[in-house]
Amino acid sequence: MSRKRLSKRTRDVIQSLIFFISTLGIISCLIIYLWVYTEIDETLLAIEIQNSTANELQNVNNELQSEIESLSRPDVIARKARQELNMVYTQPETLRITLDHSMPGTL
């Protein structure tokens, strides 16, 4: 069985097709690589922004918690009541209870 030899023109066409297909494959692979790289880069940037925002919100939360703790102290509440609300302290009332010692079992 003898094989039929390809003509030079057919070989050139096949080589041109292989070159064209490989060139298109390489270009499409580079485009896909750049697209994936860009998506990953944007995602990492978004994650960094979210992390910095979360840290900033945590700092604000800590500051507010500290302010709440400092404002809930009794001396601060009393000072604000006196200065801003013009409240005054009242004299404590004393209650006197007299017990009748003749009936010790009634209590």
Side-chain angles (χ1 to χ4, degrees):
M1 295 185 124
S2 67
R3 283 184 87 180
K4 192 173 185 182
R5 207 166 179 186
L6 294 176
S7 68
K8 187 172 184 174
R9 182 177 169 95
T10 308
R11 255 188 314 174
D12 288 343
V13 169
I14 291 174
Q15 285 180 352
S16 296
L17 270 171
I18 291 173
F19 176 75
F20 180 71
I21 290 172
S22 64
T23 303
L24 281 177
I26 289 172
I27 290 173
S28 63
C29 287
L30 286 174
I31 289 172
I32 290 172
Y33 171 76
L34 288 174
W35 176 66
V36 169
Y37 180 79
T38 304
E39 289 295 320
I40 289 173
D41 193 40
E42 288 175 359
T43 303
L44 288 176
L45 181 64
I47 289 172
E48 288 177 8
I49 290 172
Q50 289 175 352
N51 283 338
S52 66
T53 303
N55 288 337
E56 193 172 319
L57 289 174
Q58 185 64 37
N59 288 340
V60 169
N61 190 20
N62 290 341
E63 289 175 4
L64 290 174
Q65 191 69 28
S66 174
E67 187 175 342
I68 288 171
E69 288 174 2
S70 69
L71 289 175
S72 64
R73 290 182 18 212
D75 60 331
V76 174
I77 293 173
R79 187 177 69 238
K80 283 196 178 284
R82 262 182 281 134
Q83 292 174 353
E84 295 177 10
L85 302 175
N86 296 326
M87 296 177 90
V88 293
Y89 286 109
T90 60
Q91 294 298 326
E93 295 179 10
T94 17
L95 298 176
R96 290 187 182 210
I97 301 174
T98 56
L99 296 176
D100 189 10
H101 293 291
S102 63
M103 300 187 320
T106 59
L107 294 177

